[in-house]
Amino acid sequence: MTAINSVMDFSKDGDVGVLTLNSPPVNALSANVRDGLYEGFKAAIADPAVKAIVLICEGRTFIAGADISEFGGASKGASLFDVQNMMEESPKPVVAAIHGTALGGGLEVALCAHYRVAVPSARCGLPEVNLGLLPGAGGTQRLPRITGVEKALEMVTSGSHVPAKECLAMGLVDEIVPEGELKAGAIAFARKVVADRKPLVKVRDNDTKLQAAKGHPEIFANFRKANARKFRGFKAPEANIQCIEAAVNQPFEEGLKTERRLFMDVMMGPQSAAQRYYFFAERLANKIPDVPDTTATIPIKKVGIIGAGTMGGGIAMNFANAGIPVTIVEVKQDALDRGLKVVRGNYERSAKGGRFPMSEVDRRMGLITGSLDMNALADVDLVIEAVFERMDIKKDIFTRLDSICKPGAILATNTSGLNIDEIASVTKRPEAVIGLHFFSPANVMKLLEIVRADHTSKEVINTSMKLAKTIGKIAVLVGVCPGFVGNRMLGQRGREAQKMVLEGAMPWDVDRVLYDFGFPMGPFAMSDLAGLDIGWVKERSKGETIRDVLCEADRRGQKTGAGYYDYDPETRAAKPSPVTEKIIKDFVTKSGKNPRTIGDEEILERCIYPMINEGAKLLDEKKAIRPSDIDVVWVNGYGWPVYRGGPMHYADQVGLDKVLAKMKEFEAKMGDAFKPAPLLEKLAGEGKKFADLR
Ligand code: CAA
């Protein structure tokens, strides 16, 4: 065995040279790795005893792509193109041996080998689109030459990780070798290539699969049309599509140039910067400074849920999906039956949509048990209370849970804003009490705000963070305060949206601006969806707000066919409503205000800047660990467009001095609601960004 450099070894198995790359955690293509590959292939090609070369990786995965943390810095070491040329032009067959994931630049390296073998659990993909990028090392030109245009379009615009079996079917992988026997399998394969005098296949040279798309631009037009909603606002999907078009319409070398040009376009743009930032933000959110990863965890084998409403049922599904048995406790049989019926209905819809076979519905339902007796929770490891937001009810439930549940069981509340310290105070185990704030619909939404109370133990925090991963959630640890991180900031946006309607904007003006910014919908469309009558009491309603008047007119949102908007009875499409417009205008006139025209810029700034300001306060109060955690909350829980990074990243991009100046201007005109947070003043004064707070 010869060490080529600190990450690459060269050894021989008879006449097969084996290059072994070992650069934890994911063998990303850093300068050192590129150097190792370049020098390694050079040495193997030069060695007269070597007849074929296998490239294999140590650790959890094959090369998982370019080293994202190097992007934007000065380029050092061998270029990826040098490495790829060396491999593709090698006079000796090169076999890439794939386990884990061959992603991005990793797959692009493997595509320059003459052959690829993989274990069954391996996956291949070009996920650059999720970083606002495109595969910039020939991936868009080589992939369609193997898979054909349709499959390539699908892969580069979705970034999906394709399982080995599918890769074999489409020719991306030449052979699957048994799990755990990758090295021996790849060496045997290489030997066979030599013995059978198989050709040195260069993917670049074979255009056969592209022929079907030549002269058929409608393939691309149709693909764009079919995905227009999914791609809305994003620049990278279109750039990826144009690269595949180039693969069809241009010779290989020209196609590479187009790919390079488009790669540089997206790479230098703000969207990719935001999406790369976000990639690391999501991973950073798992790191809790005073709760190391090595902190003990409590095994969660059985879960209890109090409440079979929309939230309780949705939460239960997460656990059943992960194979963890759940008991749901309700007070009344009909409420329990209704709740379980909704869960079954959700599963049946998924099965009908092809997500899993019908047999899964019964299997998952079999993991969910209903009960009317809280004593059924005596042996669960975790209880999540999901009843409505009243402190007295929650306190009563926690008092009873404390006496029923076994010692060591975690008692969690799904409250979206009540004081968890107060809830914990009624138990004799405040260290076991934590907030697990799921977002509705709880079986779909990715975000989980994990709320740390004063006495919550580190074990309970670490267990909750790990459990979030098990059930496929993205967790962010936050502190106790009204609304926690997400809803507290949302409150700022909601307040300004309402105020602007009283000043002269129409709900659809506000919604349009936020939709164009990249949110899936604005606050008024959202209210219509949720129901305007949440928290509204008919008997007490005196027409004091526009919402009161709308509800009194039985315009309670989508469910009544009208709310802020009118809804087409057939298509359910929303239309600005002349009725709502009149209600608003009458209301404003009655209150003696003079409506004015509010520009789009003001709408956006008044919705977004107070949120950023509230984010700064949350950081000052240590309710969020770091600015990027706030961004993870907003991207996953509230539809903030990931290509804008999140509110705190967006503020950095706008410039904190500009945000501050605007807040001061608004404060002078409209008062204290816009008072700048001390942290915003401080950072802006020092010419810094939120990102400097790490
Ligand atoms: N560059 C730098 N660091 C990376 C990385 C990359 N491409 N991929 C992962 N990492 C780091 C993560 O930040 C994380 O670091 P910490 O432990 O310090 O937080 C560590 O590796 C492990 O990553 P995960 O926690 O994500 O581990 P996982 O097992 O859940 O997932 C993975 C592994 C599927 C490879 C996932 O990390 C992933 O999807 N990585 C990104 C893959 C990617 O996008 N590749 C394309 C890069 S762009 C490119 O290649 C452009 C080109 O055309 C040349």
Side-chain angles (χ1 to χ4, degrees):
M1 172 103 74
T2 318
I4 299 287
N5 71 0
S6 60
V7 294
M8 181 65 84
D9 283 328
F10 174 41
S11 62
K12 274 179 266 186
D13 185 303
D15 56 2
V16 177
V18 180
L19 291 171
T20 307
L21 176 61
N22 187 7
S23 179
V26 294
N27 292 310
L29 291 161
S30 60
N32 209 17
V33 169
R34 294 194 305 271
D35 280 344
L37 284 165
Y38 187 78
E39 295 303 331
F41 275 106
K42 202 161 132 191
I45 292 168
D47 190 324
V50 167
K51 297 262 185 318
I53 307 162
V54 165
L55 170 64
I56 192 165
C57 294
E58 287 285 351
R60 67 216 254 199
T61 179
F62 190 76
I63 303 165
D67 186 336
I68 307 166
S69 59
E70 266 189 2
F71 285 4
S75 60
K76 288 184 289 188
S79 81
L80 196 50
F81 291 103
D82 294 340
V83 171
Q84 289 177 303
N85 267 336
M86 173 88 78
M87 292 172 70
E88 208 164 40
E89 296 304 327
S90 160
K92 305 171 182 181
V94 175
V95 177
I98 302 172
H99 76 294
T101 43
L103 298 177
L107 182 58
E108 291 174 298
V109 165
L111 284 171
C112 291
H114 304 117
Y115 295 95
R116 288 157 294 282
V117 300
V119 288
S121 60
R123 287 168 177 263
C124 297
L126 293 173
E128 284 86 346
V129 71
N130 296 325
L131 299 170
L133 295 172
L134 55 91
T140 62
Q141 305 305 297
R142 289 191 178 87
L143 183 72
R145 285 176 160 79
I146 292 186
T147 64
V149 164
E150 276 89 353
K151 192 72 207 167
L153 278 174
E154 215 283 306
M155 275 180 77
V156 295
T157 58
S158 70
S160 60
H161 299 182
V162 181
K165 214 169 131 191
E166 268 182 62
C167 292
L168 181 72
M170 58 186 169
L172 201 47
V173 159
D174 299 287
E175 188 167 282
I176 297 202
V177 301
E179 208 68 54
E181 294 174 28
L182 183 60
K183 189 168 165 188
I187 291 171
F189 184 92
R191 236 171 231 137
K192 205 161 150 23
V193 170
V194 175
D196 296 352
R197 296 176 186 276
K198 286 199 178 168
L200 303 181
V201 180
K202 291 183 196 169
V203 174
R204 57 185 289 164
D205 288 343
N206 191 346
D207 283 359
T208 320
K209 287 269 178 68
L210 300 177
Q211 298 310 321
K214 278 203 194 316
H216 290 287
E218 71 279 5
I219 297 178
F220 296 97
N222 292 342
F223 187 78
R224 285 185 174 98
K225 208 166 144 205
N227 291 285
R229 241 180 100 155
K230 194 167 128 206
F231 299 159
R232 182 178 74 92
F234 287 90
K235 297 234 181 289
E238 174 56 27
N240 273 278
I241 296 171
Q242 287 182 20
C243 287
I244 306 287
E245 269 177 320
V248 173
N249 298 323
Q250 296 180 336
F252 183 79
E253 286 298 336
E254 288 305 307
L256 274 190
K257 281 188 200 147
T258 302
E259 182 192 83
R260 181 92 315 238
R261 178 174 54 77
L262 291 168
F263 179 81
M264 290 318 289
D265 275 0
V266 282
M267 175 73 172
M268 304 313 283
Q271 291 203 348
S272 177
Q275 288 178 260
R276 281 179 277 135
Y277 156 85
Y278 182 77
F279 175 86
F280 288 112
E282 207 171 275
R283 281 150 183 85
L284 201 56
N286 285 316
K287 299 185 170 70
I288 315 299
D290 68 331
V291 184
D293 205 42
T294 47
T295 307
T297 54
I298 301 158
I300 304 293
K301 301 218 169 72
K302 234 174 146 184
V303 172
I305 289 169
I306 314 266
T310 315
M311 270 330 263
I315 295 170
M317 289 174 75
N318 289 298
F319 292 99
N321 295 348
I324 301 172
V326 203
T327 302
I328 306 188
V329 174
E330 250 301 345
V331 264
K332 292 220 173 80
Q333 187 68 46
D334 59 340
L336 183 59
D337 293 345
R338 219 175 19 246
L340 292 175
K341 203 170 142 206
V342 170
V343 172
R344 180 174 281 281
N346 285 341
Y347 278 142
E348 281 173 354
R349 240 191 329 278
S350 295
K352 278 184 197 135
R355 291 260 320 273
F356 42 70
M358 265 299 170
S359 56
E360 262 303 291
V361 177
D362 281 337
R363 201 188 66 78
R364 293 186 195 200
M365 284 310 289
L367 287 166
I368 304 176
T369 315
S371 173
L372 298 178
D373 182 3
M374 220 188 262
N375 288 304
L377 304 182
D379 66 342
V380 300
D381 305 299
L382 160 73
V383 186
I384 303 171
E385 162 277 311
V387 303
F388 44 73
E389 296 282 61
R390 261 184 46 196
M391 184 55 93
D392 54 341
I393 299 179
K394 303 223 181 221
K395 278 181 164 173
D396 175 53
I397 289 174
F398 273 73
T399 307
R400 286 157 65 199
L401 285 174
D402 193 27
S403 66
I404 291 170
C405 294
K406 69 183 182 191
I410 300 174
L411 308 184
T413 170
N414 177 51
T415 179
S416 58
L418 292 180
N419 186 331
I420 300 177
D421 288 307
E422 198 179 331
I423 297 175
S425 72
V426 301
T427 72
K428 289 188 218 57
R429 51 173 119 180
E431 73 287 352
V433 177
I434 195 162
L436 294 180
H437 180 209
F438 289 82
F439 287 69
S440 189
N443 52 319
V444 176
M445 295 293 288
K446 281 270 175 209
L447 179 64
L448 181 64
E449 272 186 333
I450 298 186
V451 195
R452 175 184 203 163
D454 279 350
H455 300 288
T456 312
S457 75
K458 294 184 181 177
E459 284 77 9
V460 169
I461 292 170
N462 199 31
T463 303
S464 302
M465 296 296 294
K466 296 279 163 2
L467 185 66
K469 260 202 164 153
T470 309
I471 60 172
K473 298 288 172 202
I474 292 166
V476 179
L477 189 70
V478 302
V480 175
C481 60
F484 310 134
V485 166
N487 282 345
R488 186 165 143 184
M489 288 167 70
L490 183 69
Q492 297 289 317
R493 190 182 84 174
R495 184 199 60 227
E496 286 311 307
Q498 295 290 347
K499 270 169 53 188
M500 283 189 279
V501 165
L502 295 177
E503 290 169 31
M506 282 295 134
W508 33 93
D509 296 330
V510 177
D511 281 356
R512 176 183 41 79
V513 169
L514 291 171
Y515 179 82
D516 288 347
F517 182 77
F519 282 100
M521 62 177 81
F524 296 101
M526 191 73 205
S527 297
D528 272 3
L529 182 66
L532 290 187
D533 54 355
I534 294 180
W536 176 77
V537 184
K538 190 173 181 179
E539 295 68 33
R540 277 189 261 141
S541 183
K542 292 195 205 113
E544 281 164 346
T545 62
I546 288 170
R547 178 183 84 152
D548 281 354
V549 183
L550 288 169
C551 285
E552 285 162 20
D554 211 26
R555 298 181 65 92
R556 298 185 195 191
Q558 282 197 20
K559 61 185 171 189
T560 55
Y564 286 106
Y565 293 83
D566 287 337
Y567 291 88
D568 186 296
E570 306 225 313
T571 61
R572 296 175 72 188
K575 282 192 312 252
S577 165
V579 180
T580 302
E581 186 162 345
K582 183 164 183 325
I583 288 177
I584 292 174
K585 285 190 169 152
D586 289 351
F587 190 93
V588 172
T589 312
K590 231 166 63 193
S591 56
K593 293 200 173 89
N594 275 330
R596 65 184 173 97
T597 306
I598 304 185
D600 289 358
E601 195 177 319
E602 181 179 340
I603 291 178
L604 187 68
E605 289 168 345
R606 278 179 64 185
C607 283
I608 304 284
Y609 290 2
M611 279 171 47
I612 294 165
N613 197 49
E614 201 64 25
K617 288 185 196 164
L618 284 158
L619 289 168
D620 243 350
E621 295 166 25
K622 306 218 175 320
K623 302 299 178 193
I625 297 174
R626 44 181 94 83
S628 60
D629 283 7
I630 296 178
D631 289 339
V632 175
V633 165
W634 269 80
V635 168
N636 285 292
Y638 298 86
W640 182 284
V642 65
Y643 57 78
R644 294 191 198 273
M648 309 317 270
H649 176 82
Y650 177 72
D652 280 352
Q653 296 224 313
V654 170
L656 297 192
D657 52 342
K658 291 207 179 69
V659 177
L660 177 65
K662 215 20 129 180
M663 288 296 287
K664 284 187 169 160
E665 185 191 316
F666 288 149
E667 185 189 16
K669 278 193 209 146
M670 291 173 274
D672 273 358
F674 294 94
K675 194 173 176 46
L679 181 64
L680 178 62
E681 298 238 32
K682 178 170 174 291
L683 289 174
E686 291 168 357
K688 288 190 175 156
K689 297 175 168 217
F690 285 120
D692 295 321
L693 281 176
R694 289 159 185 242

